Amino acid sequence: MSLLQTVVVYGIYSAALVAIGAVGFTLQFGITNVLNLSYGAVLTSAIFVHHWVAHASVAIGPAILVGAVWGAGFSWLIGRYVVAAYARRGTSQFGMAMVTIALGLVVQYTLEGIQGPTILSYTVAHARQFRLGAVVLSDLQLVIIGSAVVVMLAVHVLLRYTRIGLAMRATADDAALSQGCGVDAATVRTVAWLVSGALCGICGVFLGLSTGSFDASIGGGLFVTVVAAAVLGGIGKPYGAMVGALVVGLGGETAAALLSPAYKDVLAWCLLLVVLALRPQGIFAQYVDRRQLVR
Amino acid sequence: MGYRKTVCGVVAVLVSALAGCGSTNPTTLTIANFDPFSGPNANYGYTEQAGCVPAVNLVNAAGGVLGRKLTCAIVDDRGDPADAVPAAQKLLATTPGLVAVVDSNSGLLSATTPLFNAAHIPELSLGGDVPFDKNTYEYFWRTIPGDDVNGYAVAAYIKSKTSYRRVASMFSAEEAAQGNVPGFTDGSKHLGLTVSVHQDLAIDQPSYQTEIHKMVAETPQVMAMESDAQTAGVLYGQLKQSGSLLPTVLTAGADNADFDKAVVAAIGEDAYKAHFVKVLLYTQSSGPAWETFDKALMSAGGAVKDASEHEKDTYSEAAYDNVTMLALAMLAAKSTDPKVFNHSIDAITKGGTVVHTFAEGKAALDAGRSIAYQGVTGVVAFDKYHNNAGTWGVFEPLTQRLITTLSPADVQAAQNG
C-alpha cells in the first residue's frame, strides 16, 4: 500500500515537472507550427542563468521569477530573430526543425564552455519536509506540484477566457482563416513564444533545483520526456500535454515499482508507441492535419 | 665444374649471411612492449614504456640477467585486433632474442594471447578483459585485476572489514557501472552476504523515491553504488529526505570530482565523509620499491615520454614490476629460455625472502634463498588462472585518506569462494 502511495505521489511529482515543460512546448508548436528542438537548450540555459544570478541559492520564489523572465526573453528572441528570419526566406518545417537543432547545439556547447571542467551545484539548504501518509515530500517538490497545477489553470484561463487566448486557439485551429477574420498573427506569435519560454524557464529552474547539481547536458534527458508527453497528448494540445505528462510520470514510477528502474524511460516510450498506434493524432487531438508555418 | 663450384660457393655465402641476419644477438634479450603507440589509445604504450625502461635500466645496471642485457622494444599494435594480430605475428617471426611480451591491451587479449602462448613467449599483461579472469593459457600472467574485479573487492571489503551482511546493489544502468554488478553479486554470494535488493537505476531521473522505497523495504545495512554525478545527487538527496541514508561503498567509477560535488551538494560534506567509502585499486607510491622506480624513471632521459606524469601512475608502476619479475624469474630459473623461466614467474612471488627491487632479489637468489617479490604495486599473488587480484585500498571521500587495504587473498576469496 505504501509502495502504491509512493508510486502515485512521485509519479505526480515527475509528471508535474514534465507537464510544465510539455505545455510550453506544445503551446508554442500549436500556435506557430515550429518544432522548436532548441527547447531543451533554452531549458538548460535557464538553470545556468538562475545559478549565476542567485549565486547558487535555492530560494524558490526568485528561481521561478528568474526562470520565467529568462526563458520568455530567450524564447522570444529565438522566435523574433531566428525563426522569423528563416521563415521569411521560405524555410520548410523540416528545415526549421534543423535550424532549431543547430541553435540548441550552439547554446549547449556555449554553456559547456561557460561551465568549465566540473559540474555546477546549488548550495545545500535544509529543506522543510511534509509527510503525506507514507510519503515524505520536500517543500520544493510540493512547490513544483503546486506550480504545475497553477500553470495548468493559468493556461486554461488564458486560452479559454481571454481575447488573446481566443486568438491563439483560432490560430492553432486554422491560421489562415483566423488572420482573415482579423486576428493579429504577429501578436499571437509573440505571446506564444513568450508564454512557452516562460514555462520552459520555470521547468528548467525546477529541474536544476531538484537535481542539485547539473551540467550543460542536463536538459537533454528531460526534453525527450517533455516531447514524449506532448506527442502522447496530441501535439499542439496543451490539455493533452498535461495528460501525456501524467501518463509518462505515473508509467515511469510504475515501471520502477513493478519491473526495474532501468525501464522507467523504456515504458514511457512504449506507451507512446502504443498510443500513437491506436490514435496517430495523440490522445487529445481530433485529427491529423497538414500544418503550415505561421508567418 | 669450376663455374658450378663458384655458384655453390656464392649461394652458400649468401645463405649463411641471411641466416646470420636472423640469428639471436647473444648479448641482448628483448622484452616487447606490445601496445598502442598510435591511435586513440596511444598513451597506453607510453605509459607501459614508462615502467619498462626504468626496470630494464636497473636490471642492466645490476649486471643484467645471466650476463645478458635486456632491452624494451616498442611494438605498435595500434589498439585494434586487425592491426595487432599481424603485428604480433611479425614480432614473433622477426625479433631476435625475444623472451617476453608486456602489454596493456584491454580488448585485444583474445586475439593476440593465443599467438604468444603458442610461441611459448611469456606475456605479462595489464589488460582488463573479463574473459581472462579464468583463462588457462600457460604463458599468460596478469598482474592488474580484470575490469570486473572492483565489484568483488567491494564485496570483500563489506565481508572482511565491516559487520554488515545485508547489502543493496544500486548501480546505474550504464555500461561502466554495470560492469561491477556481476563481480559484486557473485562475490557477495561466495562470501555469504545477502544481496537483499538489486536495482539498475535509470540515469538522470527527477525522482528515485520509488526505488528508495523498494530498497528500504528490504532493510539492507549497506549500499554498493556507482552512477554518474547527477543521478547520485538526486538519489542521495532523496535518501536523505526520506531519512534512509545508508552507509555506502563506492567503486572506481564514482571516484571523480563531479560525483563528490553532486553528493556534497545533496547531503553535505560531513554526511558524505561519515557514510561513504571508496574501494579503489591501491598502489602505495611511496617506500623503498617506489623510490627505486621513481629514481630510475626520472633518470631515463628521452627513452620515456613525459616521465614526470608517470611517477604515480599505477599502470607504469605495474609495468615496471612486470619487467622486474621477468628478470628475477630468469635468475631464479637460471635460464633465459622462456619455456624454462615461465615456471618461475609464480615462484618468485611466493618465496621466503621478501624483496622490493631487482638488486635485492638478485642478491637473495645468489645467496640461495627463495624470494617473494613485492614491488611498487605491492604483493602479487597469482591464482590458478594466473590472475592477480591486486591490492585494493578503502578511502574516505574528498580527503582520499586511506582507511584500510584489502589483500589479493581477500579479493580472491570473493572471486573463488
Side-chain angles (χ1 to χ4, degrees):
Chain A
M1 186 61 187
S2 60
L3 179 60
L4 179 63
Q5 285 180 27
T6 303
V7 167
V8 171
V9 171
Y10 281 97
I12 290 172
Y13 162 65
S14 298
L17 191 60
V18 172
I20 296 170
V23 168
F25 178 78
T26 207
L27 183 72
Q28 174 262 309
F29 178 81
I31 306 298
T32 65
N33 293 332
V34 172
L35 190 62
N36 178 17
L37 298 179
S38 67
Y39 196 80
V42 175
L43 186 151
T44 306
S45 73
I47 307 174
F48 274 75
V49 169
H50 170 252
H51 185 268
W52 176 65
V53 170
H55 301 291
S57 157
V58 293
I60 296 170
I64 295 174
L65 184 65
V66 170
V69 170
W70 171 261
F74 196 2
S75 181
W76 177 76
L77 287 171
I78 291 171
R80 176 75 177 80
Y81 292 104
V82 180
V83 170
Y86 281 91
R88 279 196 299 274
R89 286 164 175 76
T91 304
S92 66
Q93 277 188 309
F94 179 77
M96 198 66 83
M98 298 309 295
V99 167
T100 59
I101 284 179
L103 181 65
L105 290 173
V106 168
V107 172
Q108 183 183 333
Y109 290 132
T110 304
L111 293 174
E112 276 187 17
I114 294 169
Q115 175 197 323
T118 61
I119 59 169
L120 301 174
S121 293
Y122 283 98
T123 306
V124 180
H126 180 70
R128 283 187 296 166
Q129 296 181 353
F130 303 88
R131 181 167 287 279
L132 272 76
V135 179
V136 177
L137 283 165
S138 69
D139 48 4
L140 174 65
Q141 289 163 338
L142 280 173
V143 166
I144 289 174
I145 294 172
S147 298
V149 173
V150 169
V151 162
M152 302 308 125
L153 289 173
V155 169
H156 175 70
V157 169
L158 173 73
L159 294 178
R160 185 62 62 182
Y161 300 111
T162 66
R163 284 181 63 81
I164 188 68
L166 181 63
M168 291 168 83
R169 282 190 290 134
T171 303
D173 278 345
D174 192 324
L177 183 61
S178 64
Q179 285 182 57
C181 294
V183 170
D184 181 357
T187 303
V188 168
R189 210 168 45 229
T190 300
V191 172
W193 283 106
L194 285 170
V195 173
S196 164
L199 296 181
C200 179
I202 292 170
C203 180
V205 293
F206 280 162
L207 176 65
L209 292 174
S210 62
T211 58
S213 301
F214 59 93
D215 61 21
S217 67
I218 186 175
L222 184 66
F223 174 60
V224 170
T225 313
V226 160
V227 173
V231 174
L232 194 61
I235 188 76
K237 302 294 178 187
Y239 303 119
M242 299 173 199
V243 173
L246 262 180
V247 172
V248 168
L250 289 170
E253 295 303 316
T254 303
L258 300 181
L259 301 172
S260 161
Y263 298 125
K264 265 184 164 178
D265 291 335
V266 175
L267 188 78
W269 288 101
C270 285
L271 285 170
L272 180 70
L273 290 172
V274 170
V275 169
L276 291 186
L278 299 173
R279 284 183 62 83
Q281 70 273 37
I283 295 172
F284 267 66
Q286 297 299 310
Y287 52 86
V288 179
D289 59 355
R290 292 173 60 83
R291 306 177 73 102
Q292 300 295 319
L293 288 174
V294 176
R295 300 175 193 279
Chain B
M1 191 66 182
Y3 174 75
R4 270 189 184 175
K5 277 186 177 175
T6 305
V7 170
C8 287
V10 169
V11 169
V13 168
L14 282 173
V15 167
S16 64
L18 287 170
C21 289
S23 69
T24 303
N25 181 336
T27 61
T28 305
L29 302 171
T30 299
I31 294 174
N33 180 359
F34 189 74
D35 271 298
F37 284 87
S38 59
N41 294 326
N43 61 313
Y44 288 13
Y46 294 106
T47 298
E48 183 108 18
Q49 193 72 349
C52 191
V53 170
V56 159
N57 288 348
L58 286 173
V59 169
N60 291 340
V65 177
L66 305 174
R68 300 170 76 175
K69 300 286 186 188
L70 294 183
T71 184
C72 287
I74 287 176
V75 182
D76 185 3
D77 67 19
R78 304 183 71 172
D80 68 87
D83 291 307
V85 168
Q89 290 166 333
K90 183 180 173 189
L91 168 71
L92 293 169
T94 64
T95 308
L98 177 68
V99 290
V101 169
V102 292
D103 64 49
S104 54
N105 275 331
S106 289
L108 298 187
L109 297 182
S110 297
T112 55
T113 296
L115 301 175
F116 298 133
N117 196 70
H120 308 293
I121 296 296
E123 176 185 9
L124 270 72
S125 180
L126 309 180
D129 300 30
V130 174
F132 278 69
D133 285 1
K134 294 190 174 175
N135 86 92
T136 54
Y137 290 109
E138 184 183 354
Y139 289 84
F140 177 85
W141 304 85
R142 183 161 66 179
T143 52
I144 284 274
D147 290 340
D148 60 337
V149 179
N150 205 167
Y152 287 106
V154 170
Y157 163 69
I158 293 170
K159 173 69 177 183
S160 63
K161 308 288 183 182
T162 76
S163 58
Y164 306 128
R165 293 297 175 261
R166 289 179 63 81
V167 298
S169 167
M170 304 283 276
F171 293 91
S172 62
E174 303 162 285
E175 187 180 352
Q178 286 292 307
N180 297 291
V181 173
F184 178 66
T185 307
D186 200 32
S188 296
K189 188 177 167 186
H190 286 150
L191 297 173
L193 301 172
T194 302
V195 181
S196 59
V197 57
H198 168 79
Q199 300 199 74
D200 301 324
L201 302 172
I203 61 167
D204 298 344
Q205 299 292 312
S207 171
Y208 291 102
Q209 285 288 5
T210 300
E211 291 87 332
I212 290 168
H213 188 103
K214 283 176 68 180
M215 183 189 78
V216 171
E218 300 299 330
T219 63
Q221 299 166 301
V222 64
M223 183 196 305
M225 198 271 186
E226 180 182 315
S227 78
D228 65 298
Q230 189 180 315
T231 298
V234 176
L235 177 71
Y236 286 106
Q238 294 186 348
L239 274 165
K240 184 184 179 191
Q241 173 185 329
S242 58
S244 309
L245 211 51
L246 280 177
T248 298
V249 185
L250 301 170
T251 51
D255 184 36
N256 59 74
D258 282 353
F259 189 95
D260 291 344
K261 199 170 178 181
V263 178
V264 167
I267 64 173
E269 189 174 319
D270 292 342
Y272 188 32
K273 287 200 281 193
H275 287 86
F276 289 65
V277 295
K278 295 180 178 179
V279 175
L280 310 171
L281 195 59
Y282 172 64
T283 52
Q284 204 169 5
S285 293
S286 65
W290 180 81
E291 285 165 11
T292 304
F293 156 74
D294 189 50
K295 191 175 173 186
L297 171 66
M298 298 313 289
S299 59
V304 173
K305 186 180 175 188
D306 301 325
S308 61
E309 291 181 10
H310 300 289
E311 285 184 281
K312 296 188 176 180
D313 185 325
T314 301
Y315 284 83
S316 295
E317 293 169 348
Y320 165 87
D321 281 343
N322 285 354
V323 174
T324 306
M325 286 166 61
L326 282 166
L328 289 171
M330 292 179 212
L331 289 183
K334 296 185 172 58
S335 171
T336 58
D337 181 349
K339 288 181 190 171
V340 177
F341 77 75
N342 184 61
H343 300 293
S344 297
I345 292 173
D346 187 27
I348 55 122
T349 66
K350 53 177 62 161
T353 303
V354 174
V355 299
H356 300 290
T357 64
F358 175 78
E360 287 178 13
K362 185 179 182 188
L365 289 168
D366 287 346
R369 295 195 294 268
S370 64
I371 60 169
Y373 176 69
Q374 293 179 12
V376 185
T377 55
V379 175
V380 174
F382 291 111
D383 62 16
K384 62 182 177 181
Y385 303 109
H386 293 190
N387 276 285
N388 173 36
T391 301
W392 294 80
V394 182
F395 298 88
E396 182 182 70
L398 301 174
T399 63
Q400 294 298 92
R401 179 177 65 82
L402 179 68
I403 298 168
T404 186
T405 56
L406 301 166
S407 70
D410 291 330
V411 181
Q412 279 167 356
Q415 287 179 288
N416 303 322

